[in-house]
DNA sequence: AGTCCTTGGGTTAACGGTTACCCATCTCTA
DNA sequence: TAGAGATGGGTAACCGTTAACCCAAGGACT
């Protein structure tokens, strides 16, 4: 049996409220002696606060509910959770995630989460996208992580794709690269924005941004051999063509992994012949490629942290879209 | 304001208990007409069950608490959670994970979890190891996932390392390989067990298991360049030595990734000159290597699923250690 | 016609913790 | 020395849900 306040009260010969005050209410009026004695007894009896009971009284549980829009499979998802968790913990809150997928829609998952009466709810997307939340949920969900709410009813935190592409492109240019090709992820919001940043950086450096080559890696079939061979044929065509690039920017680290393999096949050295850079910083991959890959790290942790801050301080500005900066991780592929 | 049963009761002109019975008690006696009317009103008012209140009444929340022994960063951790979640969902339970690390010890994290009054608690390790749980927690924790409790007080679910090593080694032998080297993870329980399975499989095939070469990849420095170069020097030594291996078994997919790079440097073809096989099936890596990697997939999902089954059926046999089989994922590196 | 069971639903008391309010007692000051 | 304020602690209501009882009405059976 779990011990409750009344057990402690009985043992200490005081009322329940005194025990409650001693253990939880920091500012409750009582003698330090009583407080200490109660704490001792609580410890002895192995008392553990019943948050369900407190939660019922307060009307909410010390939880931040997270609705994740796809099966949590990527390491990025855990980064978001860790960011949230770190910030939430400072306020004695816990993070509680539920994922969509498997035939569950937003409404039902949201209800599942709401049954636990979390203090606040966040919606997290596994990759940067625009999400259209049914109107009736716009006020239930306090913040959108890694996605933008279509009708701007909710505060959204997204990665600064344009800025990141601009930064890594400029970095390549500063490294003396003049002919940069971009093997991008097609059909994705991130890819679209990065292309804009890429072209702009080229333009600002006096290079012809409009003519720069942006080639698609296959989407959705990203794990199939087809994707593999498409990247291979792109790289082969680039390297055999009249304007050999001296740098290849990749849509993400996994694409970069394929580009490495392709460059090896055509006998090009990294970074001597061709520099390679990318987005994501999926450490397992990026740090183990040969040579280790220079890449822009996504601000997942930061988005999680900021989300918790916004939710708990309750100073969200509905409709605002905050763009968080990537971080350049320099390794030796440039 | 959230609506409660009493709001619905008032609107429907019945008592609270009737509403409760209509919405939750499947077998409660009442006319189908009343039940339907109440459900309609509940829907209309946007009623969401308050699990904190129910939890207080029942004495527990519909939660499975998970204490994870390290920062959840690997994709494997999420597989365990997914396995748990899938099975828990069938019983209307949710999974609630908290991780150690950051100066938190088992006792405090366990208390944090217990405050939510979960129905059951599991302890999950991020890699296969032996964990010594303080005696007072042995009955709090219902099952150990991916680790074995040192004093056999708790049911433990672990991967069948010996069997897996035996299987993949036999597979290599059947593929005609006779001289297999094993670049293992040193200092790890998994590595130790796999070495045993590896040697036994060789012995059973009439090869000299005792003389087989088992070389260590560096532990802990697994992300450093030092590990990189150690694997490189091992492979170089193997390939330049008098007994060139025709297969290399790797401690995990990340080691395999380095072995690929090393083999490429010494000019060996995979799988023609040397077959490569491994453990983990970290899809991002294994399916993208060139050629795609044949590897033994860890039974993380299965362990999660079984853990939930054990916890919810309450037929745990304390002290029992169940070994779950890996799954061979054939690609083209053998 | 009286008894018994079934049906449909109400009453009430918890569950554990918090909090607004109240009541003593003691100390200080006018 | 009486009144005011501080100190230490008690009382009881309440949060939303459930479960163990209770009750009334009606139909079937002896």
């Amino acid at each position: 049996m779990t011990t409750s306040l009344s057990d402690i009260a009985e043992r200490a010969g005081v009322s329940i409220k005194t025990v409650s005050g001693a253990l939880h209410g920091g500012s409750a009026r009582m003698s330090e002696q009583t407080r200490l004695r109660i704490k001792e007894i609580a410890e002895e009896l192995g008392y553990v606060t019943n948050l369900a009971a407190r939660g019922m009284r307060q009307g909410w549980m010390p939880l931040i509910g997270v609705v994740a829009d796809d099966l949590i499979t990527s390491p990025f998802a855990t980064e978001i959770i860790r960011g949230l968790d770190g910030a939430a913990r400072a306020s004695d809150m816990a993070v509680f995630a539920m994922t969509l997928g498997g035939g569950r829609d937003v409404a039902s998952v949201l209800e599942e989460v709401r049954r636990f009466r979390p203090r606040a709810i966040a919606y997290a997307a596994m990759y940067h996208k625009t999400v259209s939340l049914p109107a009736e949920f716009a006020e239930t969900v306090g913040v959108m992580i890694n996605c933008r709410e279509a009708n701007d009813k909710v505060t959204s935190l997204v990665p600064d794709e344009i800025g990141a592409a601009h930064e890594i492109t400029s970095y390549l240019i500063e490294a003396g690269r003049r002919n940069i090709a971009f093997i991008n992820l097609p059909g994705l919001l991130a890819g679209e924005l990065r292309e804009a940043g890429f072209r702009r950086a080229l333009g600002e450096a006096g290079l012809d941004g409009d003519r720069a080559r942006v080639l698609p890696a296959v989407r959705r079939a990203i794990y199939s051999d087809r994707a593999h061979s498409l990247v291979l044929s792109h790289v082969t065509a680039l390297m055999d063509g009249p304007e050999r690039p001296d740098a290849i920017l990749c849509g993400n680290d996994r694409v970069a992994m394929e580009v490495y393999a392709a460059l090896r096949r055509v006998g090009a050295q990294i970074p001597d012949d061709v520099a390679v850079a990318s987005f994501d910083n999926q450490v397992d991959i990026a740090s183990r490629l040969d040579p280790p890959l220079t890449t822009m790290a996504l601000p997942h942790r930061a988005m999680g942290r900021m989300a918790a801050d916004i939710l708990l301080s309750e100073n969200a500005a509905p409709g605002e879209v905050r763009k968080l900066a990537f971080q350049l991780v320099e390794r030796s592929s440039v």
Side-chain angles (χ1 to χ4, degrees), chain A:
Chain A
M1 281 322 297
T2 57
T3 56
S4 69
L5 288 187
S6 68
D7 298 326
I8 301 174
E10 191 181 359
R11 179 87 151 244
V14 297
S15 76
I16 294 180
K17 111 91 197 182
T18 304
V19 178
S20 173
L23 297 181
H24 306 305
S27 62
R29 301 176 312 179
M30 74 182 51
S31 65
E32 204 51 34
Q33 183 193 340
T34 309
R35 185 187 298 274
L36 226 64
R37 191 164 55 92
I38 290 176
K39 280 191 173 174
E40 257 170 35
I41 296 177
E43 174 88 7
E44 189 186 327
L45 263 48
Y47 173 74
V48 175
T49 308
N50 185 334
L51 290 183
R54 177 187 293 171
M56 200 184 99
R57 184 76 233 266
Q58 319 263 60
W60 46 264
M61 298 281 286
L63 288 172
I64 292 184
V66 177
V67 176
D69 81 336
D70 203 349
L71 296 171
I72 305 186
T73 171
S74 77
F76 307 128
T78 61
E79 279 296 294
I80 294 178
I81 302 284
R82 283 170 69 175
L84 275 164
D85 192 65
R89 190 175 293 279
S91 305
D92 242 320
M93 296 262 168
V95 174
F96 179 70
M98 290 213 141
T99 115
L100 293 157
R104 295 186 293 279
D105 60 354
V106 182
S108 68
V109 173
L110 214 41
E111 173 168 339
E112 264 190 87
V113 171
R114 292 218 292 148
R115 303 194 318 167
F116 287 96
R117 295 291 187 274
R119 186 72 197 278
I121 298 181
Y123 184 104
M126 288 311 101
Y127 62 90
H128 188 172
K129 61 172 76 161
T130 299
V131 171
S132 172
L133 217 52
E136 69 260 40
F137 300 135
E139 51 191 270
T140 301
V141 174
V143 60
M144 310 286 288
I145 305 175
N146 204 26
C147 54
R148 178 174 176 161
E149 208 280 314
N151 308 98
D152 287 338
K153 299 254 197 186
V154 185
T155 305
S156 302
L157 307 180
V158 298
D160 180 11
E161 310 284 358
I162 297 182
H166 189 279
E167 182 176 349
I168 188 71
T169 306
S170 302
Y171 176 80
L172 287 167
I173 295 170
E174 275 167 33
R177 311 294 167 160
R178 286 289 170 274
N179 190 345
I180 309 172
F182 187 6
I183 299 187
N184 200 2
L185 303 168
L188 293 180
L189 179 57
E192 207 175 295
L193 296 171
R194 289 173 190 173
E195 182 172 338
F198 169 68
R199 292 196 192 276
R200 201 170 75 199
L202 291 176
E204 286 175 13
L207 302 170
D208 193 344
D210 298 335
R211 274 194 51 228
R213 285 164 292 183
V214 176
L215 305 166
V218 171
R219 190 193 170 188
R220 278 292 167 223
I222 212 160
Y223 291 111
S224 75
D225 287 337
R226 170 123 169 61
H228 214 103
S229 62
L230 186 66
V231 168
L232 177 59
S233 65
H234 279 329
V235 171
T236 309
L238 282 172
M239 299 305 290
D240 291 347
E243 293 185 60
R244 279 181 80 129
D246 53 12
I248 297 178
L249 181 59
C250 304
N252 65 29
D253 294 351
R254 298 184 294 281
V255 169
M257 190 169 166
E258 292 172 19
V259 167
Y260 268 55
L263 286 174
R264 205 126 41 191
R265 290 224 182 160
V266 301
Q269 295 293 318
I270 305 171
D272 300 339
D273 301 328
V274 182
V276 178
S278 165
F279 299 88
D280 276 10
N281 190 35
Q282 197 168 341
V283 180
D284 267 356
I285 294 177
S287 72
R288 279 170 179 267
L289 284 169
D290 181 21
L293 177 66
T294 291
T295 184
M296 297 296 296
L298 279 159
H300 286 296
R301 183 95 59 112
M303 287 191 293
R305 200 160 32 218
M306 183 171 286
D309 287 342
I310 290 174
L311 290 173
L312 296 178
S313 68
E314 290 184 9
N315 59 7
E320 186 188 353
V321 177
R322 294 201 205 170
K323 297 186 180 66
L324 282 84
F326 286 58
Q327 191 161 8
L328 173 64
V329 179
E330 292 186 73
R331 294 202 181 86
S332 37
S333 63
V334 175

